Amino acid sequence: MQRVPEPELMDAPAQARAYAEADFSEPNALFVERALSHLDTTGSGRLLDLGCGPGDICLRFARSLPDWHITGLDAGPNMLALANDALKATGLGARVEFVLSQLPAHPFPHRFDAVVSNSLLHHLPDPMILWEAVVELAAPGAFVQIMDLHRPPDHGTADALVREHAAGEPEILRQDFYNSLLAAWTVEEVAEQLKQAGLDGLSLSRPSDRHWLLQGQVRR
Ligand SMILES: C[S@@+](CC[C@H](N)C(=O)[O-])C[C@H]1O[C@@H](n2cnc3c(N)ncnc32)[C@H](O)[C@@H]1O
């Protein structure tokens, strides 16, 4: 099925709020758990989440990595306002910050010990924006974990995935999910992008019927 790009930002107030209120606890917990076995959970470090949205994944990392500093970057001011609201309620403000910036622009003068991203790639007008940010911002030996949707072969399969995984969600989210499946890159396309970026040493897998997952250490 041919790819249908989505608008880059999903920052209309109603859309950002519906996204922040949706229950992503299970996939977000799984995303964090998969990364933790590769990180020094008793040591310290700096973790960057690219396209952090309403910040749930950043807050989960902050709770599991008590001596790490967590930075979330996102281009949506409404999304980041929701992330900052969630942060205020946690008491984690000394170790978590949210930064408003639209990649490829970023304000960081240093690299990070871990770079993660969930569901950003399919929003970008050019996928190399993400891969070049990873190359630029991951320190030598840093752990990288990127996950996103995998574009299904046809519209019928996309419909079936929405029915199976978003049955109880509001219509605005079901529509978002359907559009995101159509905008997603396939694992084969991602493998080509990684080759182009010099990141093909990382390991690419299909952890579910609708995702691909990239994990590994940046060697330079
Ligand atoms: C589907 S949301 C994912 C949010 C979060 N990672 C999660 O898993 O819940 C995609 C996010 O990417 C952000 N985004 C899109 N283009 C961006 C860019 N060029 N730079 C930074 N963030 C961007 C959007 O504002 C949105 O919050």
Side-chain angles (χ1 to χ4, degrees), residues 8 10 19 51-53 74-75 101-103 118-120 123-124:
E8 182 170 5
M10 41 187 300
Y19 191 83
C52 66
D74 201 280
S101 191
Q102 184 157 2
L103 293 171
N118 183 45
S119 289
L120 167 64
H123 281 280
L124 296 173

Side-chain angles (χ1 to χ4, degrees), residues 12-77:
Q15 199 183 19
R17 183 160 294 284
Y19 191 83
E21 285 173 357
D23 183 9
F24 293 121
S25 54
E26 194 190 322
N28 287 359
L30 207 65
F31 182 85
V32 172
E33 204 175 291
R34 279 172 185 274
L36 287 179
S37 56
H38 301 269
L39 297 173
D40 178 5
T41 53
T42 55
S44 61
R46 287 194 283 226
L47 179 145
L48 174 64
D49 181 0
L50 297 169
C52 66
D56 183 60
I57 286 177
C58 289
L59 297 180
R60 288 174 187 271
F61 273 117
R63 285 188 204 101
S64 302
L65 297 168
D67 290 319
W68 282 59
H69 190 277
I70 313 294
T71 303
L73 174 145
D74 201 280

Side-chain angles (χ1 to χ4, degrees), residues 92-173:
L92 293 166
R95 290 193 298 111
V96 180
E97 64 173 339
F98 293 114
V99 173
L100 180 65
S101 191
Q102 184 157 2
L103 293 171
H106 69 77
F108 306 119
H110 57 76
R111 293 171 183 260
F112 291 81
D113 305 298
V115 177
V116 304
S117 179
N118 183 45
S119 289
L120 167 64
L121 187 71
H122 74 268
H123 281 280
L124 296 173
D126 173 358
M128 296 315 288
I129 291 174
L130 176 59
W131 305 125
E132 282 163 14
V134 169
V135 168
E136 191 183 337
L137 291 167
F143 175 69
V144 170
Q145 177 169 295
I146 314 287
M147 191 167 83
D148 205 336
L149 295 168
H150 181 278
R151 190 170 73 257
D154 49 58
H155 291 266
T157 311
D159 267 332
L161 287 169
V162 174
R163 275 199 304 277
E164 187 176 348
H165 297 290
E169 299 293 352
E171 183 51 30
I172 188 169
L173 272 184

